[in-house]
């Protein structure tokens, strides 16, 4: 079995280094600080096990939590106020050549050479969840930054030649986010949690 990697630079830490010049405008990487809270994301992210054609998973989940000091008012934060920016330039396809058994009539099986295609890499993102206020100063926009890794089988292909694959675009990655605001135990602090999913669509038809 052989494997070949297309379009993906695995050295993500190097590519995301702040010492590297900014990318082109359409691939601008957005940086912002993420607050470290004392309270963890209690519920975490429940992985969506929904499968699509070819028995392949075509989405990844992510979860981020910021804990606000009791001095700050988070009543301006809700789903409607959430906005997300993300970058797909770190995604690409990994192609593996392997042999699978195909079921034939009368209960027979036959080995068939196929190509397994996985979408791999990372999706960095920054989410503006809404406005936070305090007794002094002005209202500020609260932003949460993160990155989710991607390594999902998205299809199979048959034939003597590898399938032709194009680079992943913004149209192929559709985000869906929800925001919750909950008290952090008995401390008076507030947990702002973002639950999200990136769904992959408009990928090459492989099956």
């Amino acid at each position: 079995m052989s494997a070949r990697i297309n379009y993906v630079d695995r050295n993500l830490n190097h590519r995301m280094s702040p010492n590297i010049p900014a990318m082109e405008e359409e691939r601008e990487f957005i940086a912002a600080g993420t607050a470290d809270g004392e309270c963890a994301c209690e519920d975490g992210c429940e992985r969506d096990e929904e499968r699509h054609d070819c028995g392949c998973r075509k989405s990844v989940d992510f979860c981020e939590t910021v804990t606000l000091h009791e001095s700050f008012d988070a009543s301006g934060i809700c789903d409607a106020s959430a906005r997300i920016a993300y970058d797909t330039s770190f995604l690409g396809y990994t192609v593996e050549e392997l042999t699978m058994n195909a079921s034939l009539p009368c209960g027979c099986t036959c080995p068939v050479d196929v190509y397994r295609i996985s979408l791999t890499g990372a999706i960095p993102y920054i989410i503006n969840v809404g406005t936070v206020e305090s007794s002094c100063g002005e209202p500020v926009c609260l932003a949460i930054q993160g990155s989710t890794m991607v390594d999902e089988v998205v299809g199979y292909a048959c034939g003597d030649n590898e399938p032709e694959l194009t680079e992943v675009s913004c149209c192929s990655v559709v985000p869906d986010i929800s925001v919750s605001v909950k008290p952090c135990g008995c401390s008076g602090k507030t947990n702002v949690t973002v639950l999200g999913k990136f769904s992959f669509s408009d990928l090459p038809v492989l099956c």
Side-chain angles (χ1 to χ4, degrees):
M1 179 175 71
S2 62
R4 186 172 291 101
I5 298 177
N6 300 324
Y7 308 125
V8 177
D9 183 351
R10 290 285 186 176
N11 191 2
L12 297 177
N13 292 330
H14 172 73
R15 292 189 65 186
M16 296 184 186
S17 170
N19 297 323
I20 296 177
M23 301 178 184
E24 306 89 346
E25 284 190 8
E26 69 269 20
R27 291 186 177 180
E28 182 179 358
F29 186 76
I30 306 172
T34 300
D36 293 324
E38 298 176 1
C39 300
C41 178
E42 296 176 358
D43 297 331
C45 294
E46 294 184 4
R47 185 177 178 86
D48 180 6
E49 294 299 334
E50 180 182 357
R51 300 273 171 173
H52 300 269
D53 56 305
C54 312
C56 305
R57 177 176 165 80
K58 294 187 178 179
S59 65
V60 292
D61 302 318
F62 60 91
C63 177
E64 301 284 352
T65 294
V66 170
T67 300
L68 301 178
H69 191 268
E70 51 263 36
S71 303
F72 298 104
D73 177 10
S75 60
I77 296 176
C78 62
D79 286 342
S81 63
R83 300 290 184 272
I84 184 171
Y86 58 99
D87 184 6
T88 62
S89 63
F90 296 96
L91 293 176
Y93 294 101
T94 299
V95 180
E96 299 174 85
E97 187 177 358
L98 68 158
T99 300
M100 302 180 69
N101 289 324
S103 297
L104 302 178
C106 304
C108 302
T109 59
C110 178
V112 178
D113 293 332
V114 301
Y115 295 99
R116 181 168 61 194
I117 295 90
S118 300
L119 188 63
T120 58
I123 306 175
Y125 53 83
I126 184 168
I127 302 169
N128 187 329
V129 295
T131 303
V132 176
E133 299 185 28
S134 186
S135 57
C136 300
E138 299 179 356
V140 296
C141 294
L142 178 62
I144 299 176
Q145 177 184 283
S147 179
T148 184
M149 300 302 296
V150 179
D151 187 5
E152 302 293 340
V153 176
V154 294
Y156 292 83
C158 305
D160 297 330
N161 300 317
E162 288 189 13
E164 295 184 4
L165 302 170
T166 57
E167 292 192 35
V168 181
S169 67
C170 296
C171 297
S172 300
V173 181
V174 180
D176 180 36
I177 55 177
S178 62
V179 181
S180 67
V181 179
K182 296 181 180 180
C184 180
C186 301
S187 65
K189 298 182 179 181
T190 303
N191 272 348
V192 179
T193 300
V194 177
L195 291 174
K197 174 191 291 186
F198 289 111
S199 299
F200 310 125
S201 60
D202 296 327
L203 299 177
V205 178
L206 302 171
C207 297

